[in-house]
Amino acid sequence: MASKTQTESLTVRSRKRSDALDITDRVEQLVRESDVSDGLCHVYVPHTTAGVFINENADPDVLTDLLGTLDNLVPWEGGYRHAEGNAAAHIKSTLVGTSQTIPIREGRLQLGRWQGIFLADFDGPRERTVRVTITAG
Amino acid sequence: MASKTQTESLTVRSRKRSDALDITDRVEQLVRESDVSDGLCHVYVPHTTAGVFINENADPDVLTDLLGTLDNLVPWEGGYRHAEGNAAAHIKSTLVGTSQTIPIREGRLQLGRWQGIFLADFDGPRERTVRVTITAG
Amino acid sequence: MASKTQTESLTVRSRKRSDALDITDRVEQLVRESDVSDGLCHVYVPHTTAGVFINENADPDVLTDLLGTLDNLVPWEGGYRHAEGNAAAHIKSTLVGTSQTIPIREGRLQLGRWQGIFLADFDGPRERTVRVTITAG
C-alpha cells in the first residue's frame, strides 16, 4: 500500500443562516471507496463560522431544537466587537467543534443506530467544504 | 503485527438522568493490553443523548457543577419540538462532544495529572456503550 | 521508518484569567520537522481548566467575543460547589474541548484560510503545556 492516509473533499451548500446538513451517506461512501478495513475517519471543516457534529438523523426536529437553542445561548445581535457582524457564528463554531472522528471497523463507519454526521453552518447560506481523512492506523 | 488498529467496547451503566461515569481505568487497561507504544486512543459513544469528556477526577463536585451548569444552560423543559421529550439531552451531547482523543506514549495514556475520561449520560439511567479505538500511526 | 507517531510538547504562558494564545506557527513548525506527508495532527492540553480550539486568527476581536460570551454563559461566580473557586474554568474547558485534530497533506497542516489553532486558558495567568502528536496513518 503506497499510503494509508486518504483525504477527500466534499462540497455542500447551506440554505439558511443557521443550517444543519446531513453528510452521513457521502462520508460512508468515501469510507467504502477507501478500502480501509480498520481505522479512523476524521471529518473536518476548514471554516471559522461552521462546525461538524454527530446527532440523531431520524427526527429533523432534533436539529431545529439544537440550532434554536444555540441561537438563544449565543444571539446573533449580542453587542459583539467583531466588525463583520458574524461573531455569534464564530462562537457557535467553537462550541460545536471543527471536526469529528468516527471509528471504522470491517470497512464500515461505526456510527450508532441513530447517529448521523452533520455540517453545521452558522453563517449561511453559502457553499462549504468538508475534508474527510481516512487512516488505517 | 497483523493490524495496528484495535477496537474494543465497554459497557457502562448510569444511575441518574444526568450522570458522569469515570471510565479512565478501563480505558487505560485497554491501552496496556493493546501493546501499542506510541499512538492515539479514541473514545467514542455511539449514542445521541450521551457524550465523552475529559476533566478533573479528584473532586466529584466538579462533575456536579458541570452537569448542573449544562442543565441551567439547556433546561430539560424548554419548549422543544422533538416529540420524545429528550431534546435537551441531544443538545448537551453536541455541546460536550461524541468522542475524545488522547495521546499514547511509551504504552501509557498521556493524561494530565488531574485528568480523567468520563462518559456523560444526559438521558439516563440506562446502559451505554463506549467504543475505544487504539491506533499506532 | 522506526515509528510513524511523533509526540512533541510546547510550553505557552497566558497573561490573563481568560486568555487565548495562537499556537498555529509552532504547531506548523512541528509538522514541517516531522517529515510526515499525509496524516493527522492532534493538539492536546493535559489540563482541566484549559482547552484547545480552532477559529479566526485575523481579527483579535473574535477571541474577545468568544471569551466574553463564555464568561457570560458560565460566570466565574456561580454558586458552584467545587471548593477551589475555579469551577467555571473546568466547565468552559469541557465546552471548548481538550483537543483538536487537523489533517496533514503534502507535509502541510490543512487549515482553512482564516483558521488558527489556539490554547484557551480559563484559569490563568500561568504556564501551560500542549502535546502535539503527528501520525502518518
Side-chain angles (χ1 to χ4, degrees):
Chain A
M1 212 173 341
S3 164
K4 286 184 296 184
T5 296
Q6 300 172 44
T7 309
E8 301 288 341
S9 288
L10 301 174
T11 301
V12 298
R13 181 171 284 283
S14 61
R15 300 142 302 191
K16 294 175 288 188
R17 184 189 278 168
S18 277
D19 207 355
L21 304 168
D22 189 337
I23 57 174
T24 315
D25 289 351
R26 296 175 70 186
V27 176
E28 281 186 330
Q29 186 180 337
L30 292 176
V31 171
R32 276 195 302 276
E33 293 170 359
S34 74
D35 231 22
V36 163
S37 172
D38 297 285
L40 292 172
C41 177
H42 180 249
V43 181
Y44 182 85
V45 285
H47 306 293
T48 57
T49 55
V52 186
F53 67 89
I54 293 171
N55 216 311
E56 177 172 326
N57 63 358
D59 177 6
D61 282 348
V62 168
L63 305 175
T64 306
D65 289 335
L66 171 60
L67 296 177
T69 298
L70 286 168
D71 280 341
N72 290 340
L73 290 174
V74 188
W76 190 261
E77 306 281 355
Y80 307 107
R81 291 172 57 169
H82 182 46
E84 278 185 68
N86 61 356
H90 286 285
I91 296 162
K92 289 190 277 188
S93 168
T94 286
L95 289 178
V96 162
T98 301
S99 71
Q100 297 291 334
T101 304
I102 305 111
I104 300 170
R105 191 161 193 186
E106 298 177 2
R108 294 290 305 260
L109 276 183
Q110 291 292 290
L111 290 167
R113 179 176 175 184
W114 304 105
Q115 286 182 320
I117 309 165
F118 297 86
L119 175 128
D121 198 339
F122 298 118
D123 193 19
R126 62 165 114 176
E127 196 172 280
R128 298 291 199 173
T129 298
V130 181
R131 294 197 176 128
V132 181
T133 305
I134 296 166
T135 63
Chain B
M1 216 177 333
S3 165
K4 288 185 294 184
T5 295
Q6 301 172 45
T7 309
E8 301 288 340
S9 289
L10 302 174
T11 300
V12 298
R13 180 171 285 283
S14 61
R15 300 141 302 189
K16 296 176 287 190
R17 183 190 277 169
S18 278
D19 207 356
L21 303 168
D22 190 338
I23 57 174
T24 314
D25 289 350
R26 296 175 70 187
V27 176
E28 282 186 330
Q29 185 180 337
L30 291 176
V31 170
R32 275 195 301 275
E33 292 171 358
S34 75
D35 231 18
V36 163
S37 173
D38 296 286
L40 293 172
C41 177
H42 179 249
V43 182
Y44 183 85
V45 284
H47 306 293
T48 58
T49 54
V52 187
F53 68 89
I54 293 171
N55 215 311
E56 176 172 327
N57 63 358
D59 176 6
D61 281 347
V62 169
L63 305 174
T64 306
D65 289 335
L66 172 61
L67 296 176
T69 298
L70 286 168
D71 280 342
N72 290 341
L73 291 174
V74 188
W76 189 261
E77 306 281 357
Y80 306 106
R81 292 172 56 169
H82 182 46
E84 277 185 68
N86 61 356
H90 286 284
I91 296 162
K92 288 190 278 188
S93 166
T94 286
L95 289 178
V96 162
T98 300
S99 71
Q100 297 292 334
T101 304
I102 305 111
I104 301 170
R105 190 159 193 186
E106 297 177 3
R108 295 290 306 262
L109 277 182
Q110 291 293 290
L111 290 167
R113 179 175 176 185
W114 304 104
Q115 287 182 320
I117 309 166
F118 297 86
L119 176 128
D121 198 340
F122 297 118
D123 193 19
R126 62 166 112 177
E127 196 172 278
R128 298 291 198 174
T129 299
V130 180
R131 292 195 178 129
V132 181
T133 303
I134 296 166
T135 63
Chain C
M1 215 172 341
S3 164
K4 286 183 294 184
T5 295
Q6 301 172 42
T7 309
E8 300 289 341
S9 289
L10 301 175
T11 301
V12 297
R13 179 171 286 282
S14 61
R15 300 141 301 190
K16 295 175 288 189
R17 183 191 278 168
S18 278
D19 207 354
L21 303 169
D22 190 338
I23 57 174
T24 315
D25 289 350
R26 295 175 70 186
V27 176
E28 281 187 331
Q29 186 180 338
L30 292 176
V31 170
R32 275 195 302 275
E33 292 170 359
S34 75
D35 231 18
V36 163
S37 173
D38 296 286
L40 293 171
C41 177
H42 179 249
V43 182
Y44 183 85
V45 284
H47 306 293
T48 57
T49 54
V52 187
F53 67 89
I54 293 171
N55 215 311
E56 177 172 326
N57 62 0
D59 177 7
D61 282 347
V62 168
L63 305 174
T64 306
D65 289 335
L66 172 61
L67 296 177
T69 298
L70 287 168
D71 280 341
N72 290 341
L73 291 173
V74 188
W76 190 260
E77 306 281 354
Y80 306 107
R81 291 171 56 168
H82 182 46
E84 278 183 69
N86 61 354
H90 287 284
I91 296 162
K92 289 190 277 188
S93 167
T94 286
L95 289 178
V96 162
T98 301
S99 71
Q100 297 291 335
T101 305
I102 304 111
I104 300 170
R105 192 160 192 187
E106 297 177 1
R108 295 289 306 260
L109 275 183
Q110 290 293 290
L111 289 167
R113 180 175 174 186
W114 305 105
Q115 288 182 319
I117 309 166
F118 297 87
L119 175 129
D121 198 339
F122 298 118
D123 192 18
R126 62 166 113 176
E127 196 173 279
R128 298 291 199 172
T129 298
V130 180
R131 292 194 178 131
V132 180
T133 304
I134 296 166
T135 62

